[in-house]
Amino acid sequence: MFNSFSSADACKLLADGAQLVDVRTAAEFSRGALPNAISLPLQGIMNANNVIDKDKAIILYCLSGARSATAKNYLVQMGFDEVHDLGSFKNYNCE
């Protein structure tokens, strides 16, 4: 599936205060995450209201893009407005 949300898009949103959310497992997160990322494992996505700010843009990522795509669908259904899927953390290329 083609993802039109690019690393450049992510960098711009992050510079404007967006939240970078890692939906990998806690163990994966503890082994290394992107700068300033918030850990919200897909298994706990229903707790999103307690972890991330609904009023700020959200950028999701995982290992391959599968979990972040699933997380995006859940968050949109939960009423989060500005949710973007970066896909794999390998797509991240911000300074």
Side-chain angles (χ1 to χ4, degrees):
M1 185 167 82
F2 180 72
N3 186 353
S4 62
F5 185 73
S6 71
S7 179
D9 296 331
C11 297
K12 182 179 182 329
L13 285 175
L14 289 168
D16 291 340
Q19 304 163 99
L20 186 60
V21 180
D22 185 327
V23 296
R24 299 175 301 156
T25 64
E28 287 173 296
F29 185 84
S30 70
R31 289 193 295 268
L34 296 178
N36 302 310
I38 299 165
S39 178
L40 178 61
L42 180 59
Q43 299 87 339
I45 199 74
M46 298 317 251
N47 295 319
N49 285 319
N50 301 326
V51 179
I52 52 181
D53 187 341
K54 228 176 187 171
D55 298 323
K56 292 183 181 178
I58 300 161
I59 301 167
L60 303 168
Y61 76 89
C62 63
L63 179 62
S64 68
R67 287 176 282 183
S68 59
T70 300
K72 178 180 178 180
N73 290 334
Y74 278 119
L75 292 176
V76 168
Q77 288 174 8
M78 291 170 64
F80 286 83
D81 290 326
E82 195 174 347
V83 184
H84 305 279
D85 179 11
L86 182 61
S88 171
F89 67 86
K90 296 172 187 171
N91 296 332
Y92 179 87
N93 191 24
C94 302
E95 294 291 319

